[in-house]
Amino acid sequence: MAGIVSPSMPVFIIQNKTYGNLAYCTQNEGLGKVLRYGGMGAEVYARLKWMETDLYPALDRALQTSGWHRYSQPDRPGAAHGR
């Protein structure tokens, strides 16, 4: 399965500390109508807005509380990053 990642989408960035390489992934949108399967409409847009305004900030706070930190790249400020 493949999907589209746009510049405005938050991504998780995980770094392999041994070799220095990075892996990127987006957050799963959940069950039901979802954009990654071509779902469109108010329900899909509302879920994406909720993810942006509520879910991602909560995940960021949880990661920071657990000792993980934010990793900022010039083109993706504020993406979550591993230890």
Side-chain angles (χ1 to χ4, degrees), residues 47-69:
R47 181 180 298 162
L48 291 172
K49 182 51 79 175
W50 170 80
M51 291 173 76
E52 176 187 3
T53 60
D54 297 333
L55 177 62
Y56 294 131
L59 285 173
D60 183 49
R61 288 189 301 273
L63 287 171
Q64 290 196 36
T65 299
S66 71
W68 287 57
H69 64 277

